[in-house]
Amino acid sequence: APTVPLHVHRGAWVGCVAYVAVLYGIALAVSQGLWRVDIFQRGELDAVLVQGGQWWRAWTALTLHLDAPHLVANLGAGVWFGYLAGQQLGGGTAWLLAVTGAAAANLFNAQFGPATYRSLGASTAVFTALGLIAAHTWRTRFHLPQRRAQRWAPLIAGLVLLGWFGSAGEGTDLVAHALGFAAGC
């Protein structure tokens, strides 16, 4: 099977450290009372408020988590997929695209979803990073002579991982995860 010379960007871990520092720092500040408790009402993605002009909630919602398991799940998956995306695209590029793509998915969801839609957490960015990995791998191998199954394998694998990780748990926001993945692709 033909191969593509793999260029691995060094320093992909730096973006992961920044990701953990931001999410954990905000969670710590909230839990220690350094920020007002109503930070969730002020920062969550609320479709009505976004449609009313509070577009920044598409970004602030990515930094807020309901509880420790929610935070830990997004930290673990975010570091894993963010690191892999950073190796492929460079850490700064990968994280810029993941956060911007997730915010775009949030804005789309708030604009075209139900008016009652509300969301918190970085999982949309996690699945945007997964979409980046899948699409970048698919695109860098697309020109190679290969069977159809090999050609589409990166995107199919990304979709399988989206289904596996993105649909588990009660209250999982399937639409946000799918839109994040699509934005990454």
Side-chain angles (χ1 to χ4, degrees):
T3 61
V4 174
L6 183 62
H7 175 71
V8 175
H9 291 270
R10 299 191 185 277
W13 62 272
V14 175
C16 297
V17 169
Y19 171 76
V20 169
V22 168
L23 292 188
Y24 184 73
I26 289 171
L28 187 62
V30 170
S31 70
Q32 297 299 313
L34 299 176
W35 281 343
R36 297 172 17 180
V37 177
D38 69 348
I39 192 74
F40 290 95
Q41 288 81 26
R42 291 174 174 258
E44 76 178 332
L45 184 70
D46 181 326
V48 171
L49 296 175
V50 170
Q51 291 173 10
Q54 295 183 20
W55 52 267
W56 61 85
R57 288 174 176 269
W59 282 268
T60 57
L62 296 171
T63 66
L64 300 170
H65 294 82
L66 291 174
D67 54 25
H70 186 214
L71 175 64
V72 169
N74 281 327
L75 285 174
V79 166
W80 179 251
F81 292 134
Y83 180 75
L84 294 175
Q87 283 189 314
Q88 286 187 349
L89 301 166
T93 301
W95 284 105
L96 176 66
L97 290 173
V99 171
T100 305
N106 278 346
L107 288 170
F108 185 88
N109 212 353
Q111 192 65 38
F112 299 107
T116 58
Y117 181 72
R118 299 179 118 173
S119 178
L120 288 171
S123 60
T124 307
V126 169
F127 291 105
T128 303
L130 175 61
L132 288 169
I133 296 164
H136 185 264
T137 303
W138 170 75
R139 188 64 189 115
T140 57
R141 297 182 45 81
F142 192 80
H143 69 283
L144 297 174
Q146 53 192 328
R147 294 192 327 249
R148 191 175 313 211
Q150 286 177 310
R151 173 167 286 131
W152 294 98
L155 292 176
I156 292 168
L159 287 170
V160 168
L161 289 171
L162 170 65
W164 189 16
F165 291 116
S167 63
E170 188 177 331
T172 300
D173 193 342
L174 300 173
V175 173
H177 295 173
L179 287 172
F181 182 82
C185 286

mmCIF file of all heavy atoms in Angstrom, residues 94-118:
data_model
loop_
_atom_site.group_PDB
_atom_site.id
_atom_site.type_symbol
_atom_site.label_atom_id
_atom_site.label_comp_id
_atom_site.label_asym_id
_atom_site.label_seq_id
_atom_site.Cartn_x
_atom_site.Cartn_y
_atom_site.Cartn_z
ATOM 1 N N ALA A 94 -4.153 23.791 14.924
ATOM 2 C CA ALA A 94 -5.154 22.799 15.327
ATOM 3 C C ALA A 94 -6.104 23.369 16.377
ATOM 4 O O ALA A 94 -7.327 23.228 16.259
ATOM 5 C CB ALA A 94 -4.468 21.544 15.848
ATOM 6 N N TRP A 95 -5.555 24.023 17.395
ATOM 7 C CA TRP A 95 -6.417 24.550 18.457
ATOM 8 C C TRP A 95 -7.228 25.735 17.975
ATOM 9 O O TRP A 95 -8.389 25.892 18.365
ATOM 10 C CB TRP A 95 -5.602 24.871 19.704
ATOM 11 C CG TRP A 95 -5.258 23.611 20.438
ATOM 12 C CD1 TRP A 95 -4.053 22.982 20.473
ATOM 13 C CD2 TRP A 95 -6.141 22.803 21.213
ATOM 14 N NE1 TRP A 95 -4.128 21.829 21.214
ATOM 15 C CE2 TRP A 95 -5.407 21.698 21.689
ATOM 16 C CE3 TRP A 95 -7.483 22.892 21.550
ATOM 17 C CZ2 TRP A 95 -5.968 20.700 22.486
ATOM 18 C CZ3 TRP A 95 -8.040 21.900 22.342
ATOM 19 C CH2 TRP A 95 -7.289 20.822 22.800
ATOM 20 N N LEU A 96 -6.661 26.585 17.130
ATOM 21 C CA LEU A 96 -7.428 27.696 16.568
ATOM 22 C C LEU A 96 -8.615 27.161 15.763
ATOM 23 O O LEU A 96 -9.745 27.631 15.910
ATOM 24 C CB LEU A 96 -6.549 28.579 15.679
ATOM 25 C CG LEU A 96 -7.285 29.711 14.958
ATOM 26 C CD1 LEU A 96 -7.811 30.736 15.955
ATOM 27 C CD2 LEU A 96 -6.371 30.365 13.940
ATOM 28 N N LEU A 97 -8.368 26.165 14.930
ATOM 29 C CA LEU A 97 -9.436 25.586 14.129
ATOM 30 C C LEU A 97 -10.459 24.849 14.989
ATOM 31 O O LEU A 97 -11.666 24.926 14.730
ATOM 32 C CB LEU A 97 -8.853 24.655 13.067
ATOM 33 C CG LEU A 97 -8.078 25.326 11.943
ATOM 34 C CD1 LEU A 97 -7.400 24.283 11.057
ATOM 35 C CD2 LEU A 97 -8.973 26.234 11.131
ATOM 36 N N ALA A 98 -9.997 24.144 16.017
ATOM 37 C CA ALA A 98 -10.916 23.399 16.888
ATOM 38 C C ALA A 98 -11.846 24.343 17.640
ATOM 39 O O ALA A 98 -13.068 24.129 17.701
ATOM 40 C CB ALA A 98 -10.134 22.519 17.856
ATOM 41 N N VAL A 99 -11.293 25.399 18.208
ATOM 42 C CA VAL A 99 -12.119 26.336 18.978
ATOM 43 C C VAL A 99 -13.026 27.145 18.055
ATOM 44 O O VAL A 99 -14.217 27.323 18.338
ATOM 45 C CB VAL A 99 -11.225 27.250 19.852
ATOM 46 C CG1 VAL A 99 -12.030 28.364 20.478
ATOM 47 C CG2 VAL A 99 -10.535 26.423 20.924
ATOM 48 N N THR A 100 -12.502 27.618 16.945
ATOM 49 C CA THR A 100 -13.306 28.397 16.004
ATOM 50 C C THR A 100 -14.392 27.536 15.364
ATOM 51 O O THR A 100 -15.540 27.969 15.229
ATOM 52 C CB THR A 100 -12.410 29.027 14.924
ATOM 53 O OG1 THR A 100 -11.397 29.795 15.573
ATOM 54 C CG2 THR A 100 -13.199 29.905 13.985
ATOM 55 N N GLY A 101 -14.028 26.324 14.988
ATOM 56 C CA GLY A 101 -15.019 25.409 14.410
ATOM 57 C C GLY A 101 -16.110 25.060 15.404
ATOM 58 O O GLY A 101 -17.295 24.984 15.050
ATOM 59 N N ALA A 102 -15.730 24.843 16.666
ATOM 60 C CA ALA A 102 -16.719 24.529 17.700
ATOM 61 C C ALA A 102 -17.646 25.716 17.932
ATOM 62 O O ALA A 102 -18.864 25.544 18.085
ATOM 63 C CB ALA A 102 -16.016 24.138 18.998
ATOM 64 N N ALA A 103 -17.101 26.906 17.950
ATOM 65 C CA ALA A 103 -17.928 28.098 18.118
ATOM 66 C C ALA A 103 -18.878 28.262 16.934
ATOM 67 O O ALA A 103 -20.054 28.612 17.113
ATOM 68 C CB ALA A 103 -17.057 29.339 18.286
ATOM 69 N N ALA A 104 -18.397 27.996 15.727
ATOM 70 C CA ALA A 104 -19.268 28.072 14.546
ATOM 71 C C ALA A 104 -20.390 27.035 14.649
ATOM 72 O O ALA A 104 -21.549 27.335 14.329
ATOM 73 C CB ALA A 104 -18.457 27.859 13.273
ATOM 74 N N ALA A 105 -20.060 25.835 15.106
ATOM 75 C CA ALA A 105 -21.083 24.800 15.300
ATOM 76 C C ALA A 105 -22.086 25.242 16.361
ATOM 77 O O ALA A 105 -23.301 25.045 16.204
ATOM 78 C CB ALA A 105 -20.422 23.484 15.694
ATOM 79 N N ASN A 106 -21.599 25.847 17.433
ATOM 80 C CA ASN A 106 -22.491 26.352 18.480
ATOM 81 C C ASN A 106 -23.417 27.444 17.935
ATOM 82 O O ASN A 106 -24.611 27.467 18.236
ATOM 83 C CB ASN A 106 -21.691 26.901 19.664
ATOM 84 C CG ASN A 106 -21.233 25.827 20.613
ATOM 85 O OD1 ASN A 106 -21.695 24.691 20.565
ATOM 86 N ND2 ASN A 106 -20.311 26.182 21.494
ATOM 87 N N LEU A 107 -22.854 28.355 17.152
ATOM 88 C CA LEU A 107 -23.673 29.425 16.568
ATOM 89 C C LEU A 107 -24.747 28.860 15.632
ATOM 90 O O LEU A 107 -25.900 29.286 15.651
ATOM 91 C CB LEU A 107 -22.796 30.433 15.824
ATOM 92 C CG LEU A 107 -21.943 31.349 16.695
ATOM 93 C CD1 LEU A 107 -20.950 32.127 15.842
ATOM 94 C CD2 LEU A 107 -22.813 32.289 17.517
ATOM 95 N N PHE A 108 -24.357 27.894 14.835
ATOM 96 C CA PHE A 108 -25.308 27.246 13.920
ATOM 97 C C PHE A 108 -26.421 26.574 14.711
ATOM 98 O O PHE A 108 -27.608 26.720 14.400
ATOM 99 C CB PHE A 108 -24.576 26.224 13.037
ATOM 100 C CG PHE A 108 -25.450 25.594 11.998
ATOM 101 C CD1 PHE A 108 -25.595 26.187 10.756
ATOM 102 C CD2 PHE A 108 -26.135 24.417 12.260
ATOM 103 C CE1 PHE A 108 -26.410 25.609 9.789
ATOM 104 C CE2 PHE A 108 -26.963 23.838 11.304
ATOM 105 C CZ PHE A 108 -27.093 24.435 10.062
ATOM 106 N N ASN A 109 -26.034 25.844 15.751
ATOM 107 C CA ASN A 109 -26.996 25.137 16.594
ATOM 108 C C ASN A 109 -27.947 26.122 17.277
ATOM 109 O O ASN A 109 -29.154 25.888 17.342
ATOM 110 C CB ASN A 109 -26.247 24.304 17.637
ATOM 111 C CG ASN A 109 -26.972 23.044 18.019
ATOM 112 O OD1 ASN A 109 -28.098 22.811 17.615
ATOM 113 N ND2 ASN A 109 -26.320 22.222 18.811
ATOM 114 N N ALA A 110 -27.417 27.222 17.781
ATOM 115 C CA ALA A 110 -28.242 28.221 18.451
ATOM 116 C C ALA A 110 -29.172 28.937 17.474
ATOM 117 O O ALA A 110 -30.295 29.291 17.820
ATOM 118 C CB ALA A 110 -27.361 29.243 19.165
ATOM 119 N N GLN A 111 -28.695 29.142 16.255
ATOM 120 C CA GLN A 111 -29.485 29.868 15.259
ATOM 121 C C GLN A 111 -30.590 29.010 14.655
ATOM 122 O O GLN A 111 -31.693 29.482 14.438
ATOM 123 C CB GLN A 111 -28.570 30.398 14.152
ATOM 124 C CG GLN A 111 -29.213 31.389 13.246
ATOM 125 C CD GLN A 111 -29.594 32.681 13.960
ATOM 126 O OE1 GLN A 111 -28.888 33.171 14.821
ATOM 127 N NE2 GLN A 111 -30.743 33.225 13.613
ATOM 128 N N PHE A 112 -30.298 27.744 14.396
ATOM 129 C CA PHE A 112 -31.228 26.905 13.653
ATOM 130 C C PHE A 112 -31.851 25.785 14.471
ATOM 131 O O PHE A 112 -32.726 25.085 13.981
ATOM 132 C CB PHE A 112 -30.541 26.333 12.411
ATOM 133 C CG PHE A 112 -30.084 27.400 11.468
ATOM 134 C CD1 PHE A 112 -28.737 27.706 11.339
ATOM 135 C CD2 PHE A 112 -31.001 28.128 10.727
ATOM 136 C CE1 PHE A 112 -28.313 28.700 10.482
ATOM 137 C CE2 PHE A 112 -30.586 29.132 9.863
ATOM 138 C CZ PHE A 112 -29.231 29.415 9.739
ATOM 139 N N GLY A 113 -31.395 25.612 15.706
ATOM 140 C CA GLY A 113 -31.973 24.599 16.580
ATOM 141 C C GLY A 113 -33.195 25.144 17.289
ATOM 142 O O GLY A 113 -33.654 26.263 17.028
ATOM 143 N N PRO A 114 -33.722 24.356 18.217
ATOM 144 C CA PRO A 114 -34.898 24.823 18.961
ATOM 145 C C PRO A 114 -34.564 26.044 19.821
ATOM 146 O O PRO A 114 -33.439 26.186 20.310
ATOM 147 C CB PRO A 114 -35.277 23.624 19.830
ATOM 148 C CG PRO A 114 -34.092 22.736 19.843
ATOM 149 C CD PRO A 114 -33.291 23.031 18.627
ATOM 150 N N ALA A 115 -35.548 26.909 20.017
ATOM 151 C CA ALA A 115 -35.340 28.130 20.805
ATOM 152 C C ALA A 115 -34.978 27.814 22.247
ATOM 153 O O ALA A 115 -34.350 28.625 22.926
ATOM 154 C CB ALA A 115 -36.590 28.997 20.764
ATOM 155 N N THR A 116 -35.337 26.629 22.717
ATOM 156 C CA THR A 116 -35.043 26.223 24.102
ATOM 157 C C THR A 116 -33.644 25.652 24.261
ATOM 158 O O THR A 116 -33.262 25.249 25.356
ATOM 159 C CB THR A 116 -36.053 25.162 24.565
ATOM 160 O OG1 THR A 116 -35.984 24.043 23.669
ATOM 161 C CG2 THR A 116 -37.459 25.723 24.596
ATOM 162 N N TYR A 117 -32.857 25.629 23.188
ATOM 163 C CA TYR A 117 -31.542 24.986 23.216
ATOM 164 C C TYR A 117 -30.577 25.703 24.155
ATOM 165 O O TYR A 117 -30.422 26.918 24.101
ATOM 166 C CB TYR A 117 -30.936 24.929 21.803
ATOM 167 C CG TYR A 117 -29.596 24.257 21.773
ATOM 168 C CD1 TYR A 117 -29.487 22.892 21.953
ATOM 169 C CD2 TYR A 117 -28.431 24.997 21.601
ATOM 170 C CE1 TYR A 117 -28.257 22.270 21.947
ATOM 171 C CE2 TYR A 117 -27.199 24.389 21.590
ATOM 172 C CZ TYR A 117 -27.121 23.017 21.764
ATOM 173 O OH TYR A 117 -25.902 22.405 21.772
ATOM 174 N N ARG A 118 -29.919 24.903 25.018
ATOM 175 C CA ARG A 118 -28.877 25.405 25.925
ATOM 176 C C ARG A 118 -27.762 24.375 25.956
ATOM 177 O O ARG A 118 -28.006 23.183 25.845
ATOM 178 C CB ARG A 118 -29.443 25.598 27.323
ATOM 179 C CG ARG A 118 -30.558 26.610 27.341
ATOM 180 C CD ARG A 118 -31.110 26.760 28.694
ATOM 181 N NE ARG A 118 -30.862 28.157 29.059
ATOM 182 C CZ ARG A 118 -31.306 28.722 30.130
ATOM 183 N NH1 ARG A 118 -31.976 28.039 31.010
ATOM 184 N NH2 ARG A 118 -31.066 29.979 30.360
#
